[in-house]
Every structure is written in C-alpha cells, then in structure tokens.
Amino acid sequence: MRHSWSFSLAAALLAVSAFTQAATQKPVLTVYTYDSFAGEWGPGAKIKLAFEAVCDCELKWVALEDGVAILNRLKLEGAHSKADVALGMDEVMLAAAHDSNLFVPHNVDLQSLTLPGGWQDNTFLPFDYGYFAFVYDSSKLKQPPQSLKELVERNDLKIIYEDPRTSTPGQGLLLWVKQVYGDKAPAAWEQLAKKTVTVTKGWSEAYGMFLKGQSDLVLSYTTSPAYHRLAEDKQQYRAAMFSEGHLRQVEVAAQLKNAPHPELAQRFMQFIVYEHFQNQIPEGNWMYPVTSVKLPEGFNQNETPAQTLQVDTQQIATQRKVWVKEWLQAVSH
C-alpha cells in the first residue's frame, strides 16, 4: 500500500507540474530574417524586447544569409515551415514571392508610411529602405569612381560584391548593371570580373572582408558610412556616388499562410509600422525607416542619390533567370 500511495502521489505531482508548465509556457513567434538583422549589432535584439513586452509571447529570430535565402528556404519547407513571418526580402523579389503562394495579406493600414513613391502592395509590408552603393575607405582610395562605368572600366580597383543568386544586394547590382549597360551587360560583367576579389553569398561576409582590407570597394548602401561615423566615430568611410543614379531597395516583411501562430503573426505585422520598431532601423539596420521617425543627426551627409533608378518587378520576374545566366557565363570566363 505504501508503494502504491507513493506512486499515486508522485504521478499526481508530475501531472500538476506538467499542467503548470503548460499553463506558463508562452507561444513562440518564429521570424525568418537575415543574419545582420538578427545579429549582435543589428536591430533584432531591441525589437525582440519591445515586442515581447506587449505580446505575452517569445519572439524567435531564425537568421539566414539573405532575403533570397529566406524565400528559397520557405519554398523548400512549404506548408511544413515553422516560420510565422518572413522579414528581409526586397521589392525586386515581389513577383517571385507572390507567385510562391506562401503568404497572406498583411492587413496593415499604410497611411503612416512615408516611403518615397508610396506603397500599394497588400501582402508585402515595407519595414525599411535604402540605396545600393559601393563603399570605400577615403584614407586609402583617394580617387573613387564617379560612375558605374568608371568602376567597370578602371583597372586599378579591387571590388567585392554579393552573389545575385543568394543575396538581395547582388540582385541589385545585377539590375544596376543591366539598366546602365542594357545588351552590353555581359561585356561589362567580364570587365568587372577582372577586378573582383570574390563574390560572397551575403552582405555580412562581403563587408567583413572589405573592413579587413581585402578590397578597395564593397557593394553595400549609401547609409553604411553612417554606421562608422555614429557608432565608431570613424569618418573615412564613404559611399561612391555614381552619376547614372542609384538603385533603391525596399525591404519587406510578410505573414506566412501556414503560420503556426497566425494571430501573433498579425500582431507583429502591425508592430512593424509602430515607432518601437521603426526607431531601431536607422542606428540598428543602418537604413531609412518607412515612417516619420526622426533620423539621428549626421545620419546622412551628402549621400542621398540625385537620381534614383526604378525597377520593373514584372520584367524582373520574367527576365531574372536569363540575366543571372548571363552574369554567370560572363564571370566564368
């Protein structure tokens, strides 16, 4: 009887413990993003704290290499993905992302957005934007190129950029070269290949190699030098401003159709346009916020492009594979 009584008591205590644990366990909202957003120096940590303070949940970042990697992973996982939200694709990917049929409308009021040119997409919600640029160290490179054509034609420069198959900046350069060179893009890529140190999978690897002195310029953003000025008090990093204009990048988030926690995912989508999220963008992701939150002083000095190049997302959807193949053949010579 003693053994039987003890066993019954232990079983009851285990049941109570399991019930208590289940009752206190918070749901986990899983957000796929890119590594620099979720990493130590990105805005992810502060956004996680701010959202968890109001959601009675846990926010879990899953860091991938880039926006392209995020969509590729979601396509592979399909309906079995654990992701509730994807954050880090860009407007160049909109047609492909829509065609994937993986996402649902965001249901967010867009009136608070101050994004130049406005925003109409009901599925993909912008969370920041910027302009692609080649960044250089002015203490080492005294005569930076003034145009994309000068960058391509000069023989005294070493550059690093990202793979257009795996990264959104790489895709941006693919479109940039295509817009400037048109049918002559393959010849431009061949010239560019002669001064290319390496092509990396993502932005973090490329920028890290540049900071170690492995190239004269790296493909990044016009806002990247602001990080060095404000966070490191280093003044020598600059964005090379090109006379042909610069391609704008709008980064977007979207809720998964098969999100394990759809209500939490919807709350997070709404949270993206709140100031608690947007305030972390300028000095966290070093991009422009999409609402009217105040930019820090010195955030941008003479680095706003005089001309912005536009992208035709439908043309990209139909021609992207052709252009990637064109790039691959040119740089493989």
Side-chain angles (χ1 to χ4, degrees):
M1 285 297 291
R2 181 182 176 83
H3 175 78
S4 177
W5 181 84
S6 298
F7 179 81
S8 298
L9 178 60
L13 290 173
L14 284 172
V16 170
S17 175
F19 176 79
T20 304
Q21 186 176 6
T24 57
Q25 195 172 35
K26 293 181 178 180
V28 178
L29 179 78
T30 302
V31 180
Y32 285 8
T33 187
Y34 48 80
D35 48 12
S36 60
F37 192 95
E40 182 180 2
W41 306 108
K46 290 183 178 178
I47 290 172
K48 173 181 166 68
L49 286 175
F51 187 64
E52 288 180 345
V54 297
C55 74
D56 194 26
C57 72
E58 178 186 345
L59 170 56
K60 178 183 177 183
W61 299 114
V62 174
L64 304 174
E65 286 177 333
D66 205 292
V68 178
I70 293 171
L71 183 57
N72 289 341
R73 167 105 169 238
L74 289 171
K75 286 180 176 178
L76 286 173
E77 294 178 343
H80 303 293
S81 178
K82 295 180 180 178
D84 293 286
V85 172
L87 184 147
M89 298 173 288
D90 72 2
E91 62 183 332
V92 171
M93 303 168 62
L94 286 187
H98 272 293
D99 290 344
S100 72
N101 201 31
L102 291 170
F103 306 98
V104 294
H106 54 64
N107 297 316
V108 176
D109 187 348
L110 302 177
Q111 290 189 2
S112 64
L113 298 184
T114 56
L115 186 68
W119 190 258
Q120 304 299 326
D121 197 292
N122 291 323
T123 299
F124 297 93
L125 181 69
F127 65 89
D128 69 14
Y129 74 98
Y131 303 93
F132 294 121
F134 279 89
V135 172
Y136 66 100
D137 182 340
S138 64
S139 67
K140 297 177 180 177
L141 182 61
K142 301 299 182 183
Q143 294 183 318
Q146 304 294 310
S147 67
L148 184 62
K149 288 189 174 179
E150 184 180 346
L151 176 75
V152 170
E153 293 170 6
R154 275 174 57 173
N155 296 319
D156 61 331
L157 302 172
K158 293 181 180 179
I159 67 168
I160 294 175
Y161 65 91
E162 300 83 2
D163 192 324
R165 297 169 296 178
T166 55
S167 82
T168 55
Q171 281 194 151
L173 183 60
L174 187 76
L175 304 180
W176 204 356
V177 170
K178 197 68 188 177
Q179 288 211 4
V180 172
Y181 282 93
D183 294 340
K184 297 180 180 177
W189 284 121
E190 286 186 27
Q191 278 189 284
L192 211 54
K194 295 175 184 175
K195 66 200 67 179
T196 301
V197 176
T198 188
V199 177
T200 64
K201 285 187 176 180
W203 176 89
S204 295
E205 184 183 0
Y207 209 81
M209 292 179 70
F210 163 70
L211 292 179
K212 291 178 181 176
Q214 297 185 34
S215 70
D216 298 306
L217 302 108
V218 63
L219 179 62
S220 190
Y221 298 89
T222 60
T223 46
S224 298
Y227 165 77
H228 299 288
R229 286 196 298 267
L230 298 178
E232 298 180 327
D233 195 26
K234 293 180 178 178
Q235 310 299 318
Q236 71 265 37
Y237 294 100
R238 310 276 171 79
M241 303 307 291
F242 287 173
S243 58
E244 299 99 337
H246 292 247
L247 199 71
R248 187 188 72 170
Q249 181 190 42
V250 179
E251 296 193 292
V252 300
Q255 177 179 335
L256 272 295
K257 180 189 293 183
N258 295 301
H261 304 93
E263 292 183 2
L264 269 179
Q266 178 55 208
R267 288 184 65 184
F268 185 77
M269 295 299 294
Q270 299 284 346
F271 187 75
I272 285 173
V273 296
Y274 292 171
E275 63 178 11
H276 296 293
F277 185 109
Q278 290 295 312
N279 277 336
Q280 306 308 323
I281 294 300
E283 292 187 83
N285 216 30
W286 302 97
M287 296 280 275
Y288 293 108
V290 294
T291 66
S292 58
V293 300
K294 187 177 180 181
L295 288 172
E297 188 174 349
F299 183 72
N300 198 9
Q301 295 179 349
N302 302 319
E303 290 161 349
T304 301
Q307 182 180 352
T308 302
L309 302 177
Q310 300 294 326
V311 296
D312 182 338
T313 56
Q314 201 56 48
Q315 185 185 18
I316 294 166
T318 58
Q319 297 295 315
R320 181 180 177 278
K321 287 184 179 179
V322 175
W323 295 342
V324 168
K325 185 178 179 180
E326 188 177 84
W327 165 78
L328 200 55
Q329 288 178 336
V331 300
S332 298
H333 285 174

